Structure formats: C-alpha cells, structure tokens
C-alpha cells in the first residue's frame, strides 16, 4: 500500500508498520490499552519489514569473509551488499568508505581515534554526548567548545569566527548535529560544511536524529563523514555506521587490533610480529562482524527509500504541526527551542510543565495512559541546562532525576515519533497532557531508585 493510501486512513495505521504496534499494556486505573511508543529519539521500534528480512535470512546465517562453505559465502555477500546499499542510501562518493560500528557513539569514537596528531576539533556545546565527548579522549587533540547559538545564522557565524582565529594552521574537524535530539530542530548543515571547508577544516555530521526523518546525501550536504545508529533507523541489533572520506581512516592504526583488520601477520627474527593491515573499511572492523545488524540497517534503508521520503516527511510535518498546536493550547506547557517557534524540525520535541516534576509527568503518562516518553537531560546536559536557564553546576541526571513528585528538578519531557506512529498516539498524548494539567494525576506516585513510579 502506498504512503498516500495509508495517509487517507491515518486513524488506523501509520505509513510503515513497526513491531509492537499491537502490544497491550496495563493501566494503573484499570484495563489495558495499546502502547503508544513516543520515544523514537531514544530507540525507534523495528520496522516489520526489517524483522521479516532478518527472519528470512536467519537460517542461512554463517561466518563472514573467511568461510569456504555455502552459508559463509552467502553471509559474506549479504554483508558486503548491505554496505553497498547503505552507501547508496547516503549518497556516498566513489572514494568513500562505509565502516560498520556498534552505534553513533562508537562511530564518533572511531573517528576521534583516527584523527591526525594535533587536530583541532570544534564542537558546539549543544551536541549529544556521543558527539560532544569522544574528542577529549585524545590528549594530542585540542577541543574548542562553541557556545549555543540562538539562530542558524549565528551557528554559522560562530563557527566562522572560531575557525578564522585558529593557530597554528593544521588539520581541523568540525562536529555538528543534523537534528537536535532535544528540540528536533534542523541545523544548517550545508552552510556549516561550507564554512568548515572555506577554512581548511573537515566536518562530521551526527545524523542519528536526522537520517530516520530526512534523506541524507553526503555529496549534496558536502560533509566529510556521517555517523548514525541502526536503532534510531528502525533497525535493531546494535549496529551503526561511519561513512565518508577514506584517507584518515586508511592512514591511522586500526581502531581495534585483531582478525579481519589484518591482511598478513608474520614473525620477525627478533621474536616480534609484523602486521600488514587492510586499507579498506575492514581495517577498523576487527573481529566477527555483526552481519545481522548490518543487514537490518540496509533493510531499513531500502524500506524508507521505497516508501519515499517526500510522503513520509510531509506526514511527519502534519503531525508536528498538530502536536505543537495542541501543546500551545495548554498555557502551563513551555516548549524548549534554540532557534524559535518557526524553526524547521523533525518529530522530536521537549517541554516542561509548570508545577510538575518532569519525571512525575512522564510516569503519569505511562501508568495512566499507556504512553511512553522520555524525561531527563537526554544525554545532552549542557544543551538542556541552557534551554532551562540553569547554572552549569545545577544537579540533574540523564533519565534519572532525583526530585520527588512536586519538587523542582532539572529535567524535561521529550516526545518523539516517526514513520510508524499512528495519528491516534499523538492525539492520545495531547488529550493526556491537557487532562493531567487540568485535573492532576489520578494515582499516587513515589520515588524509587531515582525514578518516579506508581505507588
């Protein structure tokens, strides 16, 4: 069924069927309701298509690259074809490499490990911790943290100024998100890439929150690398991707040393060993690869491509407009934003509710309405603190607020959705927000292990 045909009856289903769409969860007030998964920004549910593809392959699972048997040969072909499918999905250039990793975090740590000595890294404080923290692990790399911009143009101007004053002139890398995991706002990636290249720097795009919602083309965006996670892209099994320029990857020592990364190992006369490492993506893929994870990502890429991003984006924008209009009708709700109300965004939105501890509010949404959202600092502590107007030393933990119901705490609520979200889930969420703000919770809650739970 086409996206347009499904869109005609959105009250029933979403454009792309996902696992868990029929799961019933109990309510503390009695009865059951189908679970409304509105935490896609953390982990999107797996597409039914992905699950079916993996299940069809599972009986043929075998070792990859070095097996002589039929199943090993088939698995190797599947693994390498998955690499090609993902390269096509990302618009990779002929000389680019696609390296399989465990996640966005792993991808960016890999890139940090291969930076040339003395590289200057420029990163906005608004980044997710996956793209904010890896660079500090290199003592020979200097990191410059840029203040949170309040407009897309200010982001470009801030980067331009920082790059123009760097000394000495040497290798430099800019790290930027494509879409914020807190506000969902789109960043001016093309403009930032142009600024980076104009000053002799390279740029890596954290596309974890962008790639499930929008097409990402390395050539069109003119970025040097892109990193993302399969579990954000409707693909389970703990795999990720780092795709882009090959030279720094080829010139650095392997991320992990071991079989698969090495082409030839021989003993030296002095008793040691000489190693000849691969120069392809295999150089940084030591050990037995996660072939199912790679295939799951490739399957998700194919599903999104076949569905058509134009229709998916248009529908998501309608849901975003409905969500924002509904929250605007509740004066106690404040939506968090860097770039203002008119900023373009994907299906990710964070907010606070006057008079409510965010953990208490999220717990009530789950226990009384069967709605799953996220609360906390979303592994983007500096950004959320900026948006909440707090001081850097204020307490607050990612996903584990300490304050009891009714007490002030440093955390927010995040609602996120995508191609598997039925309209009814967004409508139920808005109804629940209005009822909780107007009438309060219908159940008592307590703090347990740092979280608010039904008493």
């Amino acid at each position: 069924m086409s996206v347009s045909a499904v869109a005609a009856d959105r009250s029933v289903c979403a454009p792309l069927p996902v696992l868990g769409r029929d799961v019933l969860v109990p309510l503390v007030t009695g009865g059951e309701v189908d679970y409304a998964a509105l935490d896609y920004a953390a982990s999107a549910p797996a597409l039914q298509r992905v699950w079916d593809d993996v299940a069809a392959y599972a009986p043929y699972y075998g070792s990859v690259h070095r097996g002589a048997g039929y199943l090993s040969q088939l698995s190797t072909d599947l693994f390498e074809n998955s690499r090609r499918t993902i390269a096509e999905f990302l618009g990779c250039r002929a000389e680019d490499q696609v390296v399989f990793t465990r996640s966005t975090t792993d991808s960016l740590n890999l890139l940090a490990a291969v930076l040339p000595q003395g590289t200057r890294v420029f990163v906005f404080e608004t980044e997710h911790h996956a793209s904010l923290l890896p660079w500090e692990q290199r003592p020979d790399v200097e990191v410059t943290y840029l203040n949170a911009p309040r407009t897309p143009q200010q982001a470009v101007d801030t980067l331009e100024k920082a790059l123009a004053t760097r000394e000495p002139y040497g290798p430099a890398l800019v790290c930027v998100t494509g879409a914020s995991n807190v506000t969902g706002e789109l960043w001016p990636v093309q403009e930032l890439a142009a600024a980076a290249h104009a000053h002799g720097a390279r740029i890596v795009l954290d596309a974890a929150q962008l790639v499930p919602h929008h097409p990402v083309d390395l050539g069109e965006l003119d970025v040097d690398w892109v990193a993302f996670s399969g579990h954000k892209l409707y693909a389970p099994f703990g795999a990720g991707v780092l795709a882009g320029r090959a030279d720094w990857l080829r010139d650095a020592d392997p991320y992990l040393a071991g079989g698969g990364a090495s082409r030839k190992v021989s003993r030296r006369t002095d008793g040691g060993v000489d190693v000849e490492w691969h120069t392809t993506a295999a150089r940084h893929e030591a050990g037995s690869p996660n072939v199912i994870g790679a295939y799951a990502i490739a399957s998700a890429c194919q599903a999104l491509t076949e569905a058509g991003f134009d229709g998916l984006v248009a529908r998501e924008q309608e849901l975003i407009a409905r969500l924002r209009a509904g929250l605007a009708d509740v004066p106690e709700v404040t939506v968090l934003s860097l770039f203002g109300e008119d900023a373009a965004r994907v299906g990710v939105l964070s907010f606070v509710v006057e008079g409510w501890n965010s953990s208490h509010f999220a717990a009530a949404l789950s226990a009384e309405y069967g709605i799953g959202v996220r609360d906390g600092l979303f592994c983007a502590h500096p950004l959320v603190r900026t948006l909440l107007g707090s001081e850097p030393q204020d307490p607050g933990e990612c996903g584990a607020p300490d304050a009891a119901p009714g007490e002030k705490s440093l955390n927010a609520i995040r609602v996120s959705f995508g191609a598997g979200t039925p309209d009814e889930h967004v409508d139920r969420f808005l109804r629940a927000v209005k009822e909780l703000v107007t009438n309060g919770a219908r159940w008592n809650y307590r703090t347990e292990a740092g979280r608010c739970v039904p008493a």
Side-chain angles (χ1 to χ4, degrees):
M1 185 179 294
S2 68
V3 172
S4 59
V6 174
D9 190 11
R10 290 176 189 157
S11 62
V12 176
C13 58
L16 292 175
V18 294
L19 293 180
R21 59 190 180 277
D22 300 322
V23 169
L24 297 177
V25 295
L27 303 179
V28 293
T29 51
E32 295 180 325
V33 66
D34 66 290
Y35 183 65
L38 295 178
D39 193 17
Y40 277 47
S43 284
L47 291 179
Q48 184 68 55
R49 152 77 176 272
V50 171
W51 191 261
D52 291 344
D53 283 351
V54 168
Y57 160 67
Y60 301 93
Y61 175 80
S63 63
V64 174
H65 287 148
R66 294 171 294 282
Y70 177 80
L71 297 191
S72 292
Q73 295 296 308
L74 187 148
S75 294
T76 297
D77 286 345
L78 188 78
F79 185 69
E80 293 303 333
N81 283 334
S82 296
R83 197 190 306 274
R84 285 187 282 273
T85 296
I86 294 166
E88 183 178 352
F89 179 77
L90 296 172
C92 287
R93 298 146 300 214
E95 66 277 10
D96 286 338
Q97 289 186 353
V98 173
V99 181
F100 288 116
T101 65
R102 294 179 298 171
S103 60
T104 309
T105 302
D106 195 32
S107 295
L108 293 170
N109 274 272
L110 164 57
L111 186 59
V114 305
L115 294 180
Q117 186 174 1
T119 298
R120 290 280 303 277
V121 176
F122 298 84
V123 56
F124 286 93
E125 66 174 352
T126 46
E127 294 291 307
H128 185 281
H129 294 171
S131 48
L132 186 73
L133 302 180
W135 325 108
E136 291 279 8
Q137 307 307 305
R138 286 282 302 272
D140 58 339
V141 167
E142 182 179 345
V143 186
T144 299
Y145 295 103
L146 307 176
N147 293 334
R150 284 301 185 171
T151 66
Q153 185 58 51
Q154 189 179 73
V156 177
D157 294 343
T158 298
L159 179 61
E160 287 265 15
K161 182 178 179 181
L163 290 172
T165 58
R166 85 180 199 269
E167 291 181 4
Y169 198 83
L173 177 71
V174 175
C175 180
V176 66
T177 189
S180 170
N181 78 303
V182 177
T183 67
E185 292 166 314
L186 295 172
W187 278 61
V189 177
Q190 285 180 303
E191 292 83 354
L192 291 167
H197 293 152
H199 292 278
R202 300 187 182 189
I203 184 168
V204 57
L205 172 65
D206 176 353
Q209 300 298 337
L210 183 63
V211 73
H213 303 276
H214 278 269
V216 172
D217 188 298
L218 273 77
E220 182 178 333
L221 294 174
D222 197 24
V223 295
D224 298 280
W225 293 277
V226 61
F228 70 92
S229 298
H231 71 98
K232 313 285 190 187
L233 191 69
Y234 311 103
F237 309 113
V241 167
L242 176 68
R245 295 181 61 159
D247 53 350
W248 285 5
L249 293 166
R250 184 178 56 243
D251 295 342
D253 290 336
Y255 185 45
L256 297 173
S262 56
R263 293 182 60 186
K264 185 173 73 174
V265 180
S266 58
R267 289 291 301 272
R268 295 196 305 265
T269 56
D270 64 3
V273 295
D274 286 322
V275 184
E276 181 182 337
W277 303 104
H278 280 292
T279 58
T280 62
R283 186 182 188 88
H284 300 290
E285 295 177 344
S288 296
N290 181 1
V291 59
I292 287 182
Y295 182 43
I297 293 177
S299 173
C301 291
Q302 288 180 316
L304 290 169
T305 299
E306 291 169 8
F309 265 112
D310 288 346
L312 296 175
V313 170
R315 178 181 184 270
E316 183 175 297
Q317 291 304 309
E318 292 179 8
L319 288 182
I320 292 170
R322 183 186 304 189
L323 176 66
R324 297 194 64 187
L327 291 178
D329 286 340
V330 185
E332 293 84 356
V333 170
T334 300
V335 174
L336 304 183
S337 174
L338 267 179
F339 300 153
E341 292 185 3
D342 297 330
R345 69 176 70 218
V346 299
V348 179
L349 184 147
S350 296
F351 63 98
V352 292
V353 183
E354 182 180 350
W356 282 82
N357 169 283
S358 293
S359 180
H360 184 198
F361 201 88
L365 286 173
S366 174
E368 299 178 27
Y369 296 92
I371 299 170
V373 298
R374 180 61 58 101
D375 67 280
L377 298 177
F378 319 123
C379 293
H381 295 193
L383 171 56
V384 179
R385 288 189 170 109
T386 294
L387 295 172
L388 294 179
S390 68
E391 295 299 324
Q393 68 272 18
D394 284 351
E397 298 180 42
C398 184
D402 289 326
E407 295 181 1
K408 184 180 184 300
S409 67
L410 178 60
N411 61 326
I413 305 153
R414 184 181 69 192
V415 55
S416 53
F417 49 87
T421 303
D423 284 23
E424 187 276 328
H425 288 181
V426 174
D427 294 339
R428 190 198 314 174
F429 169 78
L430 290 172
R431 184 174 66 253
V433 169
K434 292 176 182 178
E435 290 180 0
L436 287 171
V437 170
T438 302
N439 304 321
R442 292 174 288 172
W443 204 260
N444 292 323
Y445 296 82
R446 60 187 172 84
T447 300
E448 181 179 291
R451 292 209 57 80
C452 189
V453 297

